[in-house]
Amino acid sequence: MRILKPSLVAAALCASIAMPTFAGDETVPSGTFVDEYGTSFEFQPCGAGTALCAVLTNLEGASATEDNLAFVGKQVIEAEQIAPNAWKGSLAAGGMSADATITQIDPNTVTIQGCRAAILCKTLSYNKAS
């Protein structure tokens, strides 16, 4: 399988321990968020209420290979809340995975940091689609 360009693999396609719900949490990413390349995810709460899941909804550019396009429409992220506005889990697609941290910067912006081998990390910013 040909893998996504490195920045996308680490940040986008690459589930954790359960954590308690954090009091005072006001926002959870929900809806479609798009990066500067046109790759998008549909975020929604899942699991026991503390998890965040994402479905890959679009791939653009060099990452849009036949193999990678097979993951469009599939859930590729599941992460548990670790702090207010932060979730940690995994990005997984086609036997490849990476540690992932999703941070909600504000209601319209999230970042996804993907790490492989604990040192090869990349962070991409995603903006809420209108």
Side-chain angles (χ1 to χ4, degrees):
M1 174 177 119
R2 191 169 168 212
I3 60 173
L4 301 174
K5 60 186 171 183
S7 64
L8 223 39
V9 168
L13 289 180
C14 282
S16 299
I17 60 171
M19 300 290 285
T21 302
F22 293 91
D25 285 354
E26 297 176 7
T27 60
V28 173
S30 184
T32 301
F33 287 77
V34 182
D35 74 4
E36 66 182 293
Y37 305 105
T39 294
S40 61
F41 292 93
E42 178 79 26
F43 286 96
Q44 62 187 351
C46 62
T50 61
L52 181 65
C53 292
V55 172
L56 178 64
T57 56
N58 189 47
L59 278 173
E60 294 290 332
S63 295
T65 65
E66 184 177 340
D67 288 337
N68 293 334
L69 287 168
F71 297 102
V72 172
K74 296 184 177 164
Q75 180 180 309
V76 294
I77 298 175
E78 184 172 344
E80 288 291 336
Q81 192 167 23
I82 57 169
N85 303 317
W87 294 262
K88 187 166 181 75
S90 63
L91 300 154
M96 183 186 74
S97 66
D99 293 332
T101 302
I102 298 97
T103 305
Q104 185 166 22
I105 305 303
D106 61 46
N108 296 311
T109 310
V110 298
T111 60
I112 300 174
Q113 179 186 55
C115 295
R116 294 182 70 197
I119 58 169
L120 303 172
C121 298
K122 178 73 177 180
T123 300
L124 290 177
S125 183
Y126 292 78
N127 296 307
K128 190 157 191 168
S130 49

